[in-house]
Amino acid sequence: MTANISRNHHWVPQCYLKGFTKGRSKKSTLHVTDFETGRQFPTVPRNVAAGRDFNRVDIDGIPPDYVESGIAVFEGKLDKALERICREREIKDPEDRNLVLNLIALLAVRNPGMRENVRRSLEQVMKRVMDLTLATKERYESSFAQAARVGALQSEDILPYERMRDFVDRDEYAISVSTTHHVGQELKLVDSVLPLLGQRRWLLARALPGTGGFITSDHPVILQWADRPMTDGLGGPGFALRGTEVLFTISHDLAMIGTFEGPDEVVDADEAQVALMNGVILGHWQRQIYARDDRFRYRMRDGEIRRGADVLRHLGTWQR
């Protein structure tokens, strides 16, 4: 790999995160609350929501940064769109709206938590397959002999039934999933989610002065039931389901709520409304939340409006 290929890949773009800084630039700082370490600190967008080789692909004939380079081109256009939206405090240009919806689709399906959920699901399936394959010695030997015949493995690599049975019973192994597989599946999911976002009606909420503004997180797209008391006994919400809403904060000043039934309009949000939306965001982070400073407001289930400076002190009373 050549030295000029980027290795620090963001799953939450810097051009988006800088909308939550005081200067709205990559060099301006975010106020970070890290729930894993129990710390609050300032840092630049480059240092958060990123992982080494997160978008790397290992495919013959394709550069390993092929996907990362494509995302960079998209983020260049998105950066200008977000600047216009934040300056005008509304989305006037249909192409700007389309870019934001593309961002929401990407953020909805690409993050470490989603990847770990996929890995665990595949692991459960594979371990169940191994249990079935090892149900009898005859089934095991027949299955692996067939695999050897088609070239999936070498005959000399096949372990005796007893050793394999013991290995599986001890359950001291994990199934890994390549980054290339994750990236490919995520790009397919984006193609599925994006049209559904386009079918929603989007309310744009503008935080009024003195409200403390909106926050975001390392899991910034929130899909939830619009009326939770009416959904007891139902499964999880889906992007295609009516009665659901997508909450996404664009910047310190702006937030979007997308539904199939609601209005497509611009409204001003007071302190209580901003605090309520921030409280929802605080229920969906993976590790960190990001804000302009520690003076943001939030409201959890107890109904009390609190300030961001107190967020870690109250963490033990929350249920994520």
Side-chain angles (χ1 to χ4, degrees):
M1 178 175 293
T2 57
N4 62 347
I5 292 180
S6 171
R7 306 296 297 274
N8 187 51
H9 300 169
H10 285 76
W11 62 87
V12 181
Q14 295 180 73
C15 66
Y16 164 70
L17 289 172
K18 71 181 185 181
F20 297 86
T21 67
K22 289 185 178 180
R24 204 184 183 282
S25 74
K26 292 180 180 179
K27 294 183 179 180
S28 301
T29 58
L30 295 161
H31 176 77
V32 180
T33 301
D34 190 309
F35 293 101
E36 185 172 297
T37 62
R39 295 174 55 235
Q40 291 184 313
F41 55 91
T43 192
V44 293
R46 172 178 170 78
N47 295 334
V48 298
R52 185 175 176 83
D53 293 333
F54 188 79
N55 295 315
R56 178 190 172 105
V57 293
D58 293 300
I59 303 173
D60 289 343
I62 295 179
D65 65 339
Y66 178 80
V67 173
E68 176 67 9
S69 297
I71 291 175
V73 173
F74 162 72
E75 290 177 0
K77 299 177 182 178
L78 174 67
D79 188 24
K80 295 178 181 178
L82 291 174
E83 286 183 358
R84 284 190 292 270
I85 291 168
C86 292
R87 182 176 61 251
E88 298 168 358
R89 289 173 61 82
E90 59 181 308
I91 306 177
K92 296 180 179 179
D93 189 334
E95 182 57 27
D96 288 351
R97 178 187 177 106
N98 181 56
L99 287 166
V100 172
L101 293 184
N102 272 270
L103 172 64
I104 295 174
L106 280 166
L107 292 173
V109 304
R110 295 173 62 255
N111 58 73
M114 179 76 76
R115 289 189 178 182
E116 177 58 16
N117 289 339
V118 169
R119 189 202 65 79
R120 287 179 180 175
S121 296
L122 290 174
E123 182 176 79
Q124 291 176 356
V125 171
M126 293 304 298
K127 288 188 174 183
R128 179 56 180 161
V129 169
M130 286 303 300
D131 284 338
L132 292 172
T133 302
L134 289 163
T136 66
K137 184 176 182 179
E138 292 74 16
R139 178 181 295 177
Y140 169 76
E141 291 178 344
S142 174
S143 296
F144 276 73
Q146 174 63 20
R149 282 195 294 271
V150 298
L153 73 167
Q154 301 297 316
S155 299
E156 57 269 23
D157 294 330
I158 301 175
L159 295 176
Y161 172 79
E162 292 76 13
R163 287 183 60 188
M164 180 62 82
R165 178 79 265 179
D166 177 65
F167 172 76
V168 172
D169 287 345
R170 284 187 282 112
D171 196 27
E172 296 176 351
Y173 68 100
I175 303 297
S176 64
V177 180
S178 71
T179 301
T180 302
H181 176 83
H182 281 304
V183 170
Q185 293 302 308
E186 289 161 0
L187 293 177
K188 291 179 182 178
L189 282 174
V190 167
D191 289 339
S192 298
V193 171
L194 182 57
L196 299 173
L197 296 176
Q199 294 170 22
R200 290 177 181 259
R201 300 174 182 174
W202 291 92
L203 181 147
L204 181 67
R206 303 183 297 197
L208 289 169
T211 61
F214 296 112
I215 64 174
T216 190
S217 77
D218 50 5
H219 181 56
V221 177
I222 298 167
L223 173 66
Q224 62 182 7
W225 294 109
D227 190 351
R228 294 191 179 193
M230 298 293 291
T231 59
D232 290 342
L234 295 180
F239 283 100
L241 295 178
R242 300 185 70 83
T244 61
E245 62 183 20
V246 176
L247 170 62
F248 178 67
T249 51
I250 299 177
S251 69
H252 171 77
D253 297 316
L254 302 171
M256 297 172 67
I257 300 176
T259 65
F260 290 110
E261 305 87 359
D264 203 343
E265 62 181 358
V266 179
V267 300
D268 292 324
D270 61 22
E271 181 185 49
Q273 293 166 326
V274 171
L276 180 61
M277 282 186 265
N278 285 342
V280 173
I281 293 167
L282 282 167
H284 291 81
W285 45 264
Q286 292 188 49
R287 174 175 174 173
Q288 296 176 333
I289 59 169
Y290 314 116
R292 177 170 291 187
D293 50 45
D294 66 356
R295 294 191 292 274
F296 66 86
R297 278 74 149 179
Y298 66 93
R299 184 172 68 181
M300 305 303 290
R301 294 178 183 176
D302 60 10
E304 181 181 350
I305 295 179
R306 297 191 175 95
R307 290 180 179 269
D310 301 323
V311 71
L312 286 172
R313 185 162 59 87
H314 291 102
L315 177 61
T317 65
W318 300 350
Q319 290 184 354
R320 289 187 56 189

